[in-house]
């Protein structure tokens, strides 16, 4: 793959990750209305609560994902997701 293809893979990876992250969060149960009953997110929340004596700790993975599901990704989270997607796109470009 030439430089144009590599660039396209990097940009494509960043875009897909940035657009896809909120979709995936909603699909696994981290919604704007809270954690969906019976979802994967509900299972995560239950496990976290049991491990912490009945509550979900602020700043934990479950709390962070729910905040992102409810309010969207912060600027820093968007940058991290885009960077990760770009890196995956760049790595993928070596296989094609």
């Amino acid at each position: 793959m030439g430089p144009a293809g590599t660039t396209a893979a990097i940009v494509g990876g960043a875009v897909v990750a940035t657009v896809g992250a909120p979709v995936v969060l909603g699909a696994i149960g981290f919604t704007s209305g809270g954690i969906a009953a019976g979802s994967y997110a509900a299972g995560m929340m239950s496990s976290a609560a049991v491990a912490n004596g009945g509550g979900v700790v602020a700043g934990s993975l479950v709390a962070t994902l729910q905040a992102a599901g409810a309010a969207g990704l912060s600027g820093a989270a968007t940058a991290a997701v885009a960077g990760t997607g770009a890196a995956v796109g760049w790595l993928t470009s070596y296989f094609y």
Side-chain angles (χ1 to χ4, degrees):
M1 180 176 293
T6 300
T7 300
I10 291 169
V11 171
V15 169
V16 167
T18 303
V19 171
V23 173
V24 170
L25 285 173
I28 63 174
F30 294 105
T31 69
S32 60
I35 293 179
S39 66
Y40 181 76
M44 286 180 66
M45 185 174 123
S46 175
S47 296
V50 168
N52 292 300
V56 176
V57 178
S60 67
L61 178 63
V62 173
T64 302
L65 291 174
Q66 179 50 43
L73 298 175
S74 67
T78 299
V81 167
T84 302
V88 170
W90 174 71
L91 288 171
T92 303
S93 73
Y94 282 101
F95 296 106
Y96 296 101

